Amino acid sequence: MKKGLFITFEGGDGCGKTTQIELLNKYLSGKGYKTLLTREPGAKGLGEKLREILLNYDGEVSPNCESFLFLADRAQHVDCIIKPALEDGKIILCDRHTDSTVAYQGYGRGLNLERIYQLNTIATSGLKPDLTIVLDVDVETSMKRVGKEKDRMESAGIEFFKRVRQGFLEIAKKEPQRVKVINSSDTIENIHKQIVELVEICKN
Ligand code: TYD
C-alpha cells in the first residue's frame, strides 16, 4: 500500500531543477518530513552504470535503444527504490521520470508517442507521480546554461530542444491535474514559493 508522496521534476536541460529540488528538500525536512532525493537516469546502484552509458557512450545509439535504456533504468528505480520509499511513507523528490521519455524520445527523437506511453506504464507497473512540476525554460537560456561541455543528450541541437520544450507543454495540457508548469525565468525564491504552494495542496 502506498503511503508516501511521489513528486517529479521535469523540464529542459538547464531549467534549474536541481536548485529547486534542494530548496524543497530543505523546506520539507525542516517540517519534519522524511524525504528521498533521487533521479533518472542514475539512481543509486545499477542506475549509475546505465547513466554512464546513456550520457557518455560516444558511439552510435539508436533512438529505440536509447528509449529502452531509459526505461530499464526506470523499471529498476521504481521497483528497488521508489516503491520501498513510498511504502516507508517518504516524500520522494525525483529529478526526471516518465515525462522526460515522452518529451525527449517522443517529441525530441520522434518516436511513436502512444508506444512510449505504453512502455512507460510497463516500466513503472502503472505507478504515477502525485505531482509533476515542469520548469519551463526557453531554449536559448537552456543552451546558455548548459555551456560548451555537453553530454550525449545535450549535443542533440537547438531544434531537438525546441521539440522537447513543446513536448513538456503538451504533456501539461493533457494532464493539468497532475502536471504544473512554472516559468523558470522567475527568481529562485519566487519559483520556490510556487513549488511549496503546489506541494502543500498535494499533501492535503
Ligand atoms: P542530466 O545531467 O540529469 O540532465 P539534467 O540535469 O538537465 O536533468 O541528464 C539527463 C539527460 O537525459 C537529459 O538530457 C534528459 C535526458 N533524458 C531523456 O532523454 N529521457 C529520459 O527518459 C530521461 C529520464 C532523461
Side-chain angles (χ1 to χ4, degrees):
M1 264 300 278
K2 202 184 115 180
K3 289 186 283 180
L5 202 64
F6 182 25
I7 304 173
T8 60
F9 291 79
E10 301 277 6
D13 292 70
C15 67
K17 286 182 281 100
T18 313
T19 307
Q20 290 301 331
I21 290 172
E22 280 165 11
L23 284 174
L24 180 61
N25 185 42
K26 251 192 216 155
Y27 169 85
L28 291 170
S29 306
K31 294 211 148 204
Y33 290 100
K34 286 191 292 177
T35 59
L36 171 76
L37 261 67
T38 188
R39 67 173 178 182
E40 290 182 16
K44 241 171 131 195
L46 177 59
E48 289 164 310
K49 298 263 183 209
L50 292 168
R51 180 182 174 90
E52 180 59 28
I53 302 174
L54 275 161
L55 300 188
N56 297 329
Y57 180 71
D58 62 3
E60 187 188 355
V61 182
S62 85
N64 234 349
C65 171
E66 180 180 278
S67 304
F68 279 111
L69 287 172
F70 280 117
L71 289 155
D73 171 73
R74 181 157 308 130
Q76 171 82 3
H77 191 204
V78 168
D79 292 343
C80 301
I81 296 178
I82 296 177
K83 279 190 179 160
L86 280 176
E87 277 157 25
D88 198 25
K90 289 191 175 136
I91 299 183
I92 297 164
L93 307 182
C94 183
D95 191 338
R96 299 195 182 282
H97 188 61
T98 45
D99 300 309
S100 277
T101 316
V102 175
Y104 282 79
Q105 281 64 51
Y107 286 87
R109 300 276 194 229
L111 294 184
N112 182 281
L113 287 177
E114 195 52 45
R115 220 168 126 231
I116 288 183
Y117 274 105
Q118 286 167 1
L119 291 169
N120 262 335
T121 305
I122 294 170
T124 60
S125 310
L127 178 75
K128 281 212 152 205
D130 298 291
L131 171 66
T132 296
I133 292 162
V134 170
L135 291 183
D136 181 43
V137 63
D138 68 81
V139 175
E140 286 71 23
T141 309
S142 165
M143 293 285 95
K144 247 186 246 154
R145 288 190 189 158
V146 164
K148 286 208 173 89
E149 291 262 313
K150 294 183 172 60
D151 64 35
R152 200 180 63 80
M153 294 303 300
E154 288 161 354
S155 309
I158 197 147
E159 290 308 317
F160 175 83
F161 283 103
K162 283 185 184 164
R163 294 195 295 276
V164 169
R165 180 185 188 194
Q166 198 51 39
F168 281 123
L169 297 177
E170 295 285 336
I171 293 168
K173 257 195 231 155
K174 263 189 231 161
E175 289 182 75
Q177 234 357 69
R178 170 179 72 88
V179 185
K180 308 291 182 192
V181 179
I182 295 179
N183 182 345
S184 86
S185 64
D186 207 342
T187 63
I188 290 178
E189 193 44 45
N190 279 347
I191 296 172
H192 174 59
K193 274 190 201 145
Q194 292 178 63
I195 292 177
V196 166
E197 267 173 35
L198 290 170
V199 171
E200 286 297 344
I201 294 168
C202 185
K203 275 204 287 113
N204 298 322

